[in-house]
Amino acid sequence: MVLSPQDIHNKEFSTKLRGYNVDEVNDFLDQVIKDYQIILQENKDLNSQLNESKDKLSYFNDLKDSLNQSILVAQEAADKVKTNSKKEAEITSREAQKKADDILNAANEKADAVLEEASKRAKKLAIETDDLKKNTRVFRQRLQVMLESQLEVIKGSDWDRLVEEKPTTTYEDIEKVVGSLDKTAKPGVESETKQGNGAESVESTPAADNSDETFVIYPDGSTKNE
């Protein structure tokens, strides 16, 4: 058991012959009591500080554990955010790639459709151009045949007799000559031109009906009297 200052103060010693001086002993004990009180107070203060330090240490240990737990939670949250961000980035990238592929495919399909339509139009135009050329050749041949027929009539001997310098005094004589010219004129000429895999016949074109009518021939083969 630790002695207290009061225990030291109340301590009594027996006396013997030739013992210590009582006053000196009491003075020394008083000094010891004072020093002991000081030491006890210091010890008490140190114990109090030690307890405070232990409390602080416990607090900081708890705080450290809490911080460590918070760090672990934050790390886990960061890992989850990182993982989710990576997944979202991959999904976004795939969606963007899919959209880009869809746009490219749509553009290619549209371009193919435009090219196909242009090709069809070009083929149709080429066919129409060929048909126009063929119709033009047919019209040219018909016109040529008609003009040649008319030219042969004009160069005939009947016209020479009509315009020769000799007296033709009566209307009946002139009518006979003109009538003979109508009879001798060729009724029509046929021409053929090849188109495609077969041949197209050119319709007969009348050489002349009478000397007082004018014929206008159109590219489609129709005629008009004037």
Side-chain angles (χ1 to χ4, degrees):
M1 181 178 179
V2 179
L3 294 176
S4 66
Q6 189 66 28
D7 292 335
I8 296 174
H9 182 270
N10 295 330
K11 180 66 177 176
E12 293 182 355
F13 297 95
S14 59
T15 59
K16 290 183 178 181
L17 185 66
R18 301 179 68 180
Y20 291 107
N21 188 333
V22 175
D23 294 333
E24 291 180 357
V25 171
N26 288 333
D27 292 339
F28 180 75
L29 288 176
D30 290 338
Q31 184 64 39
V32 169
I33 289 170
K34 291 179 180 179
D35 293 340
Y36 190 69
Q37 285 179 340
I38 293 171
I39 292 173
L40 287 177
Q41 185 63 38
E42 291 177 352
N43 188 32
K44 184 179 179 180
D45 294 338
L46 290 175
N47 286 328
S48 178
Q49 292 178 1
L50 179 61
N51 291 330
E52 290 179 359
S53 298
K54 287 181 179 180
D55 292 339
K56 290 180 180 180
L57 180 61
S58 177
Y59 169 75
F60 284 118
N61 285 332
D62 293 340
L63 182 61
K64 182 186 72 173
D65 294 338
S66 178
L67 289 175
N68 288 334
Q69 186 66 25
S70 299
I71 291 173
L72 291 176
V73 173
Q75 184 65 37
E76 290 178 357
D79 292 338
K80 288 182 180 179
V81 170
K82 183 179 179 180
T83 302
N84 292 333
S85 299
K86 186 176 180 180
K87 290 181 179 179
E88 290 179 358
E90 292 176 353
I91 293 173
T92 303
S93 178
R94 286 196 297 268
E95 290 179 352
Q97 184 64 37
K98 185 177 181 299
K99 289 182 179 179
D101 293 338
D102 293 340
I103 293 173
L104 182 61
N105 292 332
N108 289 332
E109 291 177 358
K110 187 175 181 180
D112 293 339
V114 171
L115 290 175
E116 184 177 359
E117 182 66 20
S119 178
K120 289 181 180 179
R121 290 182 179 180
K123 291 179 181 179
K124 183 179 179 181
L125 182 60
I127 293 173
E128 292 177 352
T129 303
D130 291 339
D131 292 340
L132 182 59
K133 289 181 178 180
K134 292 175 182 178
N135 292 332
T136 303
R137 287 195 296 269
V138 170
F139 170 73
R140 179 184 178 184
Q141 290 177 354
R142 290 177 178 177
L143 181 61
Q144 182 178 357
V145 168
M146 185 200 71
L147 293 177
E148 290 177 352
S149 175
Q150 297 292 337
L151 185 60
E152 289 179 1
V153 172
I154 293 173
K155 291 180 178 181
S157 59
D158 293 332
W159 278 96
D160 293 336
R161 290 195 301 272
L162 180 64
V163 298
E164 66 183 0
E165 294 181 358
K166 67 179 182 178
T168 307
T169 57
T170 64
Y171 175 77
E172 288 78 7
D173 295 334
I174 296 174
E175 188 177 11
K176 289 180 181 180
V177 174
V178 173
S180 65
L181 290 176
D182 290 339
K183 293 179 181 180
T184 57
K186 295 181 180 179
V189 180
E190 292 184 354
S191 176
E192 293 183 354
T193 178
K194 293 182 179 180
Q195 295 185 2
N197 296 326
E200 178 181 352
S201 298
V202 180
E203 296 179 355
S204 60
T205 303
D209 290 340
N210 56 60
S211 59
D212 295 333
E213 294 182 348
T214 302
F215 292 92
V216 179
I217 301 177
Y218 296 98
D220 58 357
S222 61
T223 60
K224 180 179 179 182
N225 295 336
E226 290 185 354

